[in-house]
Amino acid sequence: MLMPILQIHSEDMPAYAIVCGDPARAEKISRKLEQARELAFSREYRTFVGLYEGVQIAVVSHGVGSPGAAVCFEELIRAGVTTLIRVGTAGSYTVDYPAGSVIVSTAAVRTDGLTRQLVPDGFPAVADLGVTQALIEAAREQESADAATFAGKVGVGITVTLDAFFAGVEEIPHRKYKQAGALAAEMEIAALYIVSTLRGARAGAIVAIDGFADSDLAAEYDPHTDAVGQAVEREINAALHALAALARQDQA
């Protein structure tokens, strides 16, 4: 069956997928796979499949923001994907996790507009426990292996999903989210968790910190530093290891 937006066929899709915003990052991740091949590049949605540690994995880009990303998640699940892990970047709310850190998202605050049209306001956006645990273990293994060069830390906690990247006349209440214990802000995780919950898939997310979202911690934003690049590499490796571990558990 053809997915009309992603332009992929369900018979080509495995059960496990990594999703990311940037089509170029999807191509970068695909280079870590054996027998990688590109299935489609439609709009912002670029799809690869290949093998990682013997497991068939898809890598798909979803663009920026919840509405377009949700289209990707919906069609992947309809095509037969049952486990999704988002890798991306986020702005930190605390000096405890500076640029170069990695955070595993256990749940997402839903400040986006998309999920309000899918579920009631009080419904939580929560990651799958098994996927989250696999990501935590893989991320901490990466931290231990790279201890001498790790620029930040591995964190585990709640993230915030926003629609606005740049400030407008309305103030985004970053300080309130920080005071409530949220660790970082990004733009798609809530959509991933809600769509996956509604459609019976399991999902998790891991993000590399590329700066501070809280204006109280204002610093020049530069997502292209070596520290951020290394964090992105670590989160990709952690996601791949986590998916392979989950596949082995599923087959046991």
Side-chain angles (χ1 to χ4, degrees), residues 25-94:
R25 183 168 294 160
E27 193 274 334
K28 175 182 178 179
I29 298 170
S30 76
R31 287 189 237 129
K32 295 179 178 288
L33 307 180
E34 297 178 3
Q35 302 174 28
R37 60 192 177 100
E38 186 170 358
L39 297 183
F41 195 165
S42 174
R43 303 189 185 195
E44 64 264 48
Y45 310 113
R46 192 175 188 183
T47 304
F48 298 86
V49 293
L51 287 170
Y52 186 81
E53 296 182 358
V55 178
Q56 283 279 354
I57 290 175
V59 182
V60 189
S61 61
H62 55 63
V64 177
S66 289
V71 172
C72 176
F73 307 148
E74 291 273 9
E75 288 206 345
L76 287 178
I77 294 168
R78 293 181 187 185
V81 175
T82 59
T83 304
L84 303 93
I85 292 178
R86 165 164 155 69
V87 299
T89 54
S92 176
Y93 281 147
T94 169

Side-chain angles (χ1 to χ4, degrees), residues 15 17 54 62 64 107 109 136 138 158 164 175 177 242:
H62 55 63
V64 177
V109 180
I136 292 169
I158 296 169
R175 189 173 302 173
Y177 301 139

